Amino acid sequence: MHYMVGRHMKTLLSNTLLILLTSFFLVLPIATYSEGLRFGIVGKSTTDGNFIDTWKGCNEVALLSGDECFLLGHFGSADARQQLSAINHALNNKPLDAIALSVTNSNYLAQGLADLDIPLITFDSPFAEADNHLSKAYIGIDNVEFGRQLAALVKKLKPNGGRVCIFSTLHDTNIAQRVWGVRQVLSGYDQLPRDSRLQGQTAWTESDRCPLNTADNIPRALNQLQATLQADLADIYIAVGWWPIVDSQAYRQTIANYQQKFRNHEVIMVAGVGKAEAEYDELLKQHLLHGYVSINFPEIGRLSAKVMADLAQGKTLSDNTIFVANIVRIVEEVAEQ
């Protein structure tokens, strides 16, 4: 089934000119540059609104000191090779003073950046533990706690348990941490091995065909949701990223034949999102979404600019891990407003 990804496509088109303009720094003559510091923001995609918000927050703070942040990367789904290529292209064309990276494939990027001679920090998604020595700091949410918060929403909504299906991606460190947090809470075991699935340790069991690998692709996530609903594989859906709901119109179309089950809480959906959009609250009011946890990406960008400036000037950080608080919303809270 083909989906028109309405809001996502509008966001993509509206930001395309902006992204193209920011990428011109790679070829502009030296005379057009300011004398300030130059920072690279390397998200998982330049068309993802969360990373655009991060870049805007970074540039907002950088410009106050005569510095500048540049959004580096590629269009479309997350791809570690494209991230590394964008970094190398930027460094070969114009030196940067520091880079902030949202890690996709930790091992691949660590190998490619092992000899980087400028400060590197991570945001949103850190390196895996074995590679974390490459990063001078991490700025973002506590991803394990993020997953735990999603699972806490599930426990409120379905206290007697049920069949769980998690929307995830392969290789992304932050996504794996969120999934682990979900499983910790629902299994009741904080020391649960990272790759262990929910197998009825308590009242929650994962479907055999889950977790679902969305590949950071929204139409794919919607197709997966439709297929699992049709096969009645789960009654609890946990999206540790925004993939199924980011385009609310496409999401509504996908669940159209199952709306009554959602409204009756026979089937529930909770999701991790970026900005807390009004349309998410509208879905909550209609009981088509039942809870979400959102991330303040502009604040992550602002903090990234401050940390990169300190590192570029040789300053010692007082804290190399800076967590940004999440916003948690659940259907009952919206109904009371």
Side-chain angles (χ1 to χ4, degrees):
M1 181 174 180
H2 178 69
Y3 291 95
M4 293 298 293
V5 186
R7 192 178 75 82
H8 182 67
M9 288 303 298
K10 286 192 289 183
T11 301
L12 188 156
L13 292 171
S14 65
N15 286 305
T16 296
L17 178 59
L18 174 66
I19 295 162
L20 289 173
L21 289 172
T22 62
S23 66
F24 282 173
F25 88 97
L26 300 174
V27 295
L28 285 174
I30 293 175
T32 64
Y33 287 91
S34 69
E35 296 300 319
L37 298 169
R38 294 177 295 274
F39 307 130
I41 292 289
V42 187
K44 296 176 181 176
S45 168
T46 57
T47 49
D48 186 319
N50 292 332
F51 299 117
I52 294 170
D53 284 346
T54 303
W55 164 70
K56 288 179 179 177
C58 182
N59 212 35
E60 172 192 321
V61 168
L63 291 174
L64 296 175
S65 302
D67 302 329
E68 193 166 2
C69 294
F70 299 96
L71 181 62
L72 308 179
H74 62 284
F75 287 19
S77 300
D79 187 312
R81 286 175 173 77
Q82 294 284 358
Q83 284 184 301
L84 185 58
S85 175
I87 292 171
N88 288 332
H89 185 62
L91 293 173
N92 288 336
N93 281 271
K94 186 67 181 177
L96 296 171
D97 296 289
I99 290 174
L101 170 67
S102 180
V103 177
T104 49
N105 188 315
S106 181
N107 181 62
Y108 177 82
L109 289 169
Q111 291 182 38
L113 298 172
D115 297 323
L116 191 68
D117 59 0
I118 60 173
L120 172 66
I121 68 172
T122 53
F123 73 97
D124 171 59
S125 179
F127 282 111
E129 188 174 347
D131 307 316
N132 206 36
H133 62 281
L134 294 175
S135 175
K136 301 293 185 183
Y138 167 73
I139 300 169
I141 64 166
D142 181 333
N143 283 290
V144 176
E145 181 59 27
F146 188 88
R148 292 176 65 86
Q149 289 173 328
L150 286 168
L153 292 179
V154 168
K155 291 185 74 172
K156 286 183 180 179
L157 294 159
K158 285 278 193 181
N160 296 322
R163 299 167 297 154
V164 174
C165 191
I166 300 173
F167 288 85
S168 180
T169 64
L170 294 178
H171 305 305
D172 288 10
T173 309
N174 65 326
I175 298 302
Q177 290 176 336
R178 295 179 194 180
V179 172
W180 188 37
V182 167
R183 288 169 171 165
Q184 283 180 359
V185 169
L186 295 186
S187 69
Y189 183 38
D190 288 351
Q191 302 305 314
L192 185 76
R194 287 181 179 264
D195 295 328
S196 293
R197 295 162 49 82
L198 298 170
Q199 297 177 323
Q201 296 97 328
T202 50
W204 289 272
T205 302
E206 285 184 66
S207 169
D208 290 341
R209 287 167 58 181
C210 300
L212 300 169
N213 174 27
T214 66
D216 198 35
N217 183 283
I218 294 164
R220 175 172 170 151
L222 291 169
N223 281 323
Q224 290 170 329
L225 176 58
Q226 183 185 58
T228 52
L229 285 169
Q230 187 173 358
D232 190 26
L233 296 179
D235 44 45
I236 300 168
Y237 290 92
I238 305 172
V240 297
W242 66 356
W243 313 288
I245 69 164
V246 60
D247 185 325
S248 60
Q249 181 180 355
Y251 173 64
R252 290 173 189 275
Q253 293 172 354
T254 302
I255 67 170
N257 294 333
Y258 308 94
Q259 283 195 19
Q260 199 55 46
K261 287 189 174 184
F262 278 75
R263 295 184 194 279
N264 293 340
H265 293 204
E266 295 175 51
V267 174
I268 66 165
M269 168 73 78
V270 299
V273 301
K275 185 187 302 181
E277 302 280 3
E279 61 198 79
Y280 301 148
D281 283 348
E282 189 60 32
L283 288 170
L284 287 180
K285 289 177 184 178
Q286 297 173 19
H287 290 237
L288 301 178
L289 172 68
H290 303 92
Y292 67 79
V293 183
S294 71
I295 306 168
N296 189 338
F297 278 95
E299 181 62 12
I300 291 174
R302 288 188 281 268
L303 291 170
S304 295
K306 294 175 183 177
V307 170
M308 284 191 286
D310 285 347
L311 289 170
Q313 296 173 78
K315 297 179 181 178
T316 301
L317 300 180
S318 58
D319 190 354
N320 62 2
T321 302
I322 303 174
F323 288 136
V324 175
N326 307 323
I327 300 169
V328 183
R329 298 279 274 167
I330 194 167
V331 66
E332 284 85 351
E333 295 172 0
V334 175
E336 292 171 0
Q337 295 178 355

